[in-house]
């Protein structure tokens, strides 16, 4: 679920989390845990582009810390942004700007809620250069897991080599003694994108789940 900056900070420094309070109460009733994606631009900062100035990054990080502090201890998994290697990062993807935002936000969250689970970068596909920039910047000091969206036009089983390569990258940069799992944060074969019917989708879904389980993927969406 997106936790949208724009809709919860409509005046600088003033937050309205009432919609998410209601959602959390409903989830609590059913013993469900959300994966919240802290994301997107805010028209109050940086010309409604993804945060790229010091002011914009600080505002996002301060807002994110307030969000996490409000819901800490309730089993939420917090992801920093959605597919920043695509057009979701406006006006165009910029790995260095994302890394700066992720570092500032991770530090801010860690200060108010050091035991919460933070994940990232939630990239589309296996963008290894993008992921490596994140890991090189020391984000595994704060992140509990590395998330990717393994979309592809080939069969689900083709993901195995990508997971192997990603794990080697994680091992290269992980702090000594820290185990950092991989999360499949979003993946599917939609009829719109791949022109497959429901029967084929069902088969592919089962195979996705099985292959992720076989590879020890910590969470599959």
């Amino acid at each position: 679920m997106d936790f949208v900056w724009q809709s919860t900070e409509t005046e600088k420094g003033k937050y309205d989390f009432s919609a998410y309070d209601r959602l959390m109460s409903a989830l609590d009733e059913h013993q469900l845990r959300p994966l919240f994606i802290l994301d997107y631009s805010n028209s109050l900062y940086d010309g409604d582009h993804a945060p790229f100035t010091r002011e914009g990054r600080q505002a996002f990080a301060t807002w994110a810390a307030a969000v996490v502090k409000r819901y800490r201890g309730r089993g939420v998994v917090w992801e920093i942004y959605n597919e920043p290697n695509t057009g979701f990062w406006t006006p165009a993807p910029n790995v260095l700007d994302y890394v700066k935002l992720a570092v500032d936000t991770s530090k801010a969250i860690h200060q108010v809620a050091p035991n919460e689970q933070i994940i990232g970068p939630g990239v589309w596909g296996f963008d290894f250069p993008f992921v490596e920039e994140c890991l090189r910047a020391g984000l595994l000091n704060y992140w509990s897991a590395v998330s990717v969206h393994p979309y592809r036009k080939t069969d689900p089983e083709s993901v195995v080599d990508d997971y192997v390569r990603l794990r080697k990258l994680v091992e290269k940069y992980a702090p000594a003694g820290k185990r950092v799992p991989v999360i499949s944060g979003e993946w599917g074969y939609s009829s719109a994108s791949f022109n497959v019917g429901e029967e084929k989708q069902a088969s592919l879904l089962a195979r996705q789940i099985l292959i992720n389980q076989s590879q020890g993927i910590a969470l599959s969406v």
Side-chain angles (χ1 to χ4, degrees), residues 15 53 55 77 112 126 191 208:
Y15 309 130
T53 65
E55 181 196 13
V77 177
V112 299
F126 285 82
S191 58
Q208 278 180 236

Side-chain angles (χ1 to χ4, degrees), residues 11-190:
E11 292 183 57
K12 285 189 175 183
K14 294 184 179 180
Y15 309 130
D16 178 5
F17 299 135
S18 55
Y20 290 95
D21 288 344
R22 292 191 295 272
L23 174 58
M24 285 295 293
S25 294
L27 293 176
D28 286 345
E29 287 182 23
H30 298 281
Q31 298 180 316
L32 293 170
R33 298 170 53 203
L35 189 163
F36 279 139
I37 309 164
L38 302 162
D39 59 16
Y40 301 137
S41 62
N42 189 314
S43 57
L44 299 173
Y45 305 96
D46 290 352
D48 204 17
H49 292 153
F52 69 94
T53 65
R54 180 171 295 182
E55 181 196 13
R57 289 195 300 270
Q58 185 58 54
F60 185 97
T62 301
W63 162 79
V67 172
V68 176
K69 184 177 180 180
R70 187 178 188 87
Y71 302 109
R72 63 186 172 186
R74 297 172 72 175
V76 180
V77 177
W78 303 99
E79 185 167 45
I80 299 178
Y81 230 82
N82 173 57
E83 298 185 352
N85 63 326
T86 72
F88 285 115
W89 188 274
T90 54
N94 185 311
V95 65
L96 297 181
D97 283 343
Y98 171 77
V99 166
K100 291 176 184 176
L101 180 72
V103 168
D104 288 353
T105 303
S106 297
K107 287 181 177 179
I109 293 172
H110 198 70
Q111 286 177 354
V112 299
N115 296 320
E116 292 295 293
Q117 296 190 71
I118 311 170
I119 66 172
V123 291
W124 189 95
F126 285 82
D127 189 335
F128 291 107
F130 194 106
V131 173
E132 185 160 18
E133 282 292 334
C134 295
L135 305 189
R136 186 183 291 118
L139 281 163
L140 293 186
N141 290 311
Y142 305 99
W143 287 358
S144 303
V146 171
S147 59
V148 292
H149 299 171
Y151 288 111
R152 61 200 50 239
K153 293 187 177 181
T154 53
D155 288 341
E157 292 77 12
S158 65
V159 79
V160 172
D161 288 344
D162 291 325
Y163 282 148
V164 169
R165 184 177 172 186
L166 179 59
R167 281 206 172 90
K168 288 181 180 177
L169 204 56
V170 170
E171 290 169 3
K172 178 179 177 181
Y173 291 100
K178 183 175 182 178
R179 177 183 172 273
V180 181
V182 172
I183 284 176
S184 174
E186 182 184 317
W187 184 16
Y189 293 82
S190 81

